[in-house]
Amino acid sequence: MVAIVSTVAYLGLEARAVEVQVQLSSGLPRFTVVGLPDKAVAESRERVRAALAAIGLALPPKVITVNLSPADLPKEGSHYDLPIALGLLAAIGAIDGETLSHFVAVGEMSLDGRIIPSPGVLLAALHASSRRMGLICPFSQGAEAAWAGDVEIVAAPDLLALMAHLRGSRVLTPPQPGEAEPMAGGADLAQVKGQEVAKRALEICAAGGHNMLMSGPPGAGKSLLASCLPGILPPLEPAEALEVSMVASVAGELQGGRMRRRRPFRSPHHSASMPALVGGGLKVRPGEISLAHLGVLFLDELPEFQRQVLDSLRQPLETGEVAVARANMHVTFPARFQLVAAMNPCRCGHLGDPSLACARAPRCAADYQARVSGPFLDRIDLHVEVAGVSAADLTLPPPAEGSAEVAQRVAAARQVQTARYAGEGARTNAEADGELLERVATPDDPGRKLLADAAAAMRMSARGFHRVLRVARTIADLASSDSVGRIHVAEALSYRRQAPRN
């Protein structure tokens, strides 16, 4: 007899169907798991053995073979514990195998029989819903799984409670979807005194989904400005919230089953490795750029990041996704994020102040900035010089506008872009390709001449040319202008800088 329990394997944000096949046969007692299991899956034998012993059941003295089918698909993670345990219980007749055939099961087993959380439950629930099956999952993740909609969720705290439910002797209460996270939180632009140019650039960045680099001395407020960006971005649409929550679920960061409503804001340290930033590792998991999907990735002290790590962001910045290549599989994660970076002009940070600058200025600035490659800088739309804050600036009254007022203008500009790009495969100006830009962002004659002259003088690449057009289109949207004029092109060019020669 072979007992079969359905579960899933996670490949990026795809849940692939897996059958856990359990067979008991005569022979010297042994417990074998086959089907390309990783170390965590192979160790499930001991966790399952201890969990069954904790509820008073011993494994039969037979040959126990567990096959994870399809056998050529790598299996990673501890969520296979529960389906293996259920397969064993069905094989020895402790529960009905026919009842199990209507469910997908995921969860890690504790040695005392408790069912504890494992990453990816939301993906498993959506997969079960697509196959018109129910889901068996840990009790603490029931609220997360319930976001999948019309699917029967059995959220059990331990094996005994789950067995009683499956036998019909004690029914577990179906979980309700967790509360959506609150919208409040983050810094407000009302905290920023002065820095009008930087705040204007931040508004353009938010309105069009552009990338931005701020350069200025220490203490000028670059980090504070970056932390204000999520507060002026529009809230996630329902479909976007599901995407962001799925990434968080796979990474094990969806706490309490709370659906994400705020756009993510990730700020990794400059010592972060390439797998930490772009994804990968021994057990493939999303990196910071995927956890920032549809939100903001803030890289402070940009030149301090390893150059190889920064250059690995070049393709995701263009395509909106990242592919992690392994010897036996390729995993793709979404990574459509806004890059906001900050840096000092040189290592000491005081290049513009002769009284504080180091003796190597200005050579030290060229060496420091050369750590960031030209092709990487060419992918950044807005380059902004942030001036230092003086004592007089700190005594200024609070700004008349805060994040709420700026967010209203940003939302209006985003609505214009949503209507413009309906059915075009883009959501914001930053996502519009060259052909689309020619239709919606071609400047008037004075603007076209200014852009052509500037492109020649600044030796712009084709990518840089299109990025200026995108920024100009966003500036026009903020001004409620149907066409892109010379004034919009001029402001867009003011944020463009030539990449340094390396």
Side-chain angles (χ1 to χ4, degrees):
M1 174 186 175
V2 177
I4 297 176
V5 180
S6 296
T7 187
V8 295
Y10 302 120
L11 296 179
L13 292 193
E14 177 190 2
R16 192 81 62 85
V18 171
E19 275 191 358
V20 177
Q21 304 165 354
V22 181
Q23 182 187 58
L24 305 182
S25 58
S26 300
L28 292 175
R30 68 175 185 272
F31 191 162
T32 307
V33 179
V34 297
L36 286 184
D38 73 344
K39 184 69 172 176
V41 181
E43 290 175 347
S44 66
R45 295 173 300 178
E46 307 309 321
R47 291 192 293 271
V48 169
R49 191 195 307 271
L52 293 180
I55 64 173
L57 294 175
L59 293 178
K62 294 186 176 184
V63 176
I64 302 173
T65 304
V66 176
N67 178 44
L68 306 177
S69 176
D72 61 343
L73 179 68
K75 318 300 188 306
E76 296 181 338
S78 60
H79 65 278
Y80 293 98
D81 289 4
L82 182 58
I84 290 174
L86 292 175
L88 279 168
L89 291 172
I92 64 178
I95 54 178
D96 181 24
E98 176 62 25
T99 303
L100 283 177
S101 66
H102 302 294
F103 290 92
V104 173
V106 291
E108 181 180 335
M109 295 304 309
S110 175
L111 300 185
D112 58 2
R114 288 179 296 115
I115 304 172
I116 59 179
S118 63
V121 165
L122 179 57
L123 266 70
L126 292 168
H127 170 81
S129 178
S130 68
R131 300 186 65 190
R132 300 185 181 278
M133 299 174 71
L135 178 74
I136 300 173
C137 68
F139 178 80
S140 60
Q141 293 180 298
E144 174 184 338
W147 280 107
D150 187 19
V151 57
E152 181 184 355
I153 306 295
V154 177
D158 52 55
L159 267 183
L160 282 177
L162 179 56
M163 292 172 64
H165 176 87
L166 295 174
R167 290 170 176 168
S169 59
R170 191 180 70 179
V171 177
L172 294 170
T173 303
Q176 297 299 313
E179 295 181 0
E181 67 179 4
M183 287 298 300
D188 193 292
L189 281 172
Q191 300 173 249
V192 182
K193 295 186 177 182
Q195 307 294 11
E196 298 304 323
V197 173
K199 287 193 283 189
R200 169 64 174 172
L202 198 70
E203 181 177 342
I204 297 170
C205 171
H210 303 288
N211 303 320
M212 178 176 171
L213 171 62
M214 294 177 284
S215 177
K222 303 184 294 293
S223 298
L224 176 59
L225 283 162
S227 64
C228 291
L229 181 56
I232 62 176
L233 289 170
L236 292 167
E237 298 292 333
E240 294 177 330
L242 184 60
E243 282 186 60
V244 172
S245 298
M246 287 167 64
V247 176
S249 177
V250 170
E253 294 191 6
L254 198 61
Q255 302 298 329
R258 286 190 164 191
M259 182 69 74
R260 297 292 173 90
R261 294 180 62 196
R262 296 196 304 267
R263 295 188 181 271
F265 181 84
R266 307 291 298 193
S267 180
H269 191 261
H270 57 73
S271 62
S273 64
M274 188 180 296
L277 205 61
V278 303
L282 185 62
K283 177 178 180 288
V284 180
R285 71 182 301 276
E288 291 292 333
I289 64 174
S290 295
L291 293 169
H293 179 56
L294 298 177
V296 179
L297 177 71
F298 177 49
L299 301 183
D300 199 6
E301 307 293 347
L302 184 68
E304 299 295 339
F305 283 81
Q306 298 178 37
R307 184 164 180 161
Q308 183 182 12
V309 172
L310 289 181
D311 285 342
S312 69
L313 302 183
R314 284 154 54 177
Q315 184 179 4
L317 282 170
E318 295 289 335
T319 63
E321 62 181 22
V322 58
V324 180
R326 307 294 287 276
N328 52 5
M329 65 176 175
H330 284 67
V331 177
T332 301
F333 292 108
R336 192 170 297 282
F337 59 93
Q338 281 184 253
L339 174 66
V340 177
M343 60 182 287
N344 297 326
C346 59
R347 179 173 288 279
C348 70
H350 298 286
L351 180 67
D353 189 342
S355 63
L356 296 175
C358 66
R360 295 187 63 244
R363 180 62 185 174
C364 65
D367 294 342
Y368 190 67
Q369 295 175 24
R371 294 184 179 187
V372 186
S373 69
F376 180 83
L377 289 174
D378 199 38
R379 287 166 166 80
I380 297 179
D381 306 327
L382 302 166
H383 295 246
V384 183
E385 297 289 337
V386 181
V389 178
S390 65
D393 293 329
L394 298 177
T395 60
L396 292 173
E401 284 189 339
S403 292
E405 292 78 11
V406 176
Q408 291 179 357
R409 295 196 294 269
V410 169
R414 286 284 184 113
Q415 288 175 0
V416 170
Q417 294 167 54
T418 299
R420 176 188 300 138
Y421 299 125
E424 299 285 358
R427 287 176 279 197
T428 62
N429 291 326
E431 297 176 16
D433 58 24
E435 180 182 353
L436 190 54
L437 279 173
E438 291 178 2
R439 299 205 313 264
V440 304
T442 300
D444 57 17
D445 290 340
R448 191 182 301 114
K449 183 179 185 305
L450 174 62
L451 181 56
D453 292 344
M458 299 172 69
R459 300 189 298 276
M460 283 186 201
S461 65
R463 179 188 294 113
F465 183 88
H466 285 144
R467 289 189 178 276
V468 171
L469 275 182
R470 293 185 180 105
V471 174
R473 179 66 266 181
T474 299
I475 294 170
D477 290 339
L478 284 169
S480 301
S481 174
D482 293 333
S483 61
V484 178
R486 188 178 190 277
I487 189 172
H488 307 132
V489 173
E491 184 176 359
L493 287 169
S494 72
Y495 299 118
R496 192 72 196 169
R497 295 290 185 271
Q498 284 183 280
R501 294 179 180 179
N502 295 331

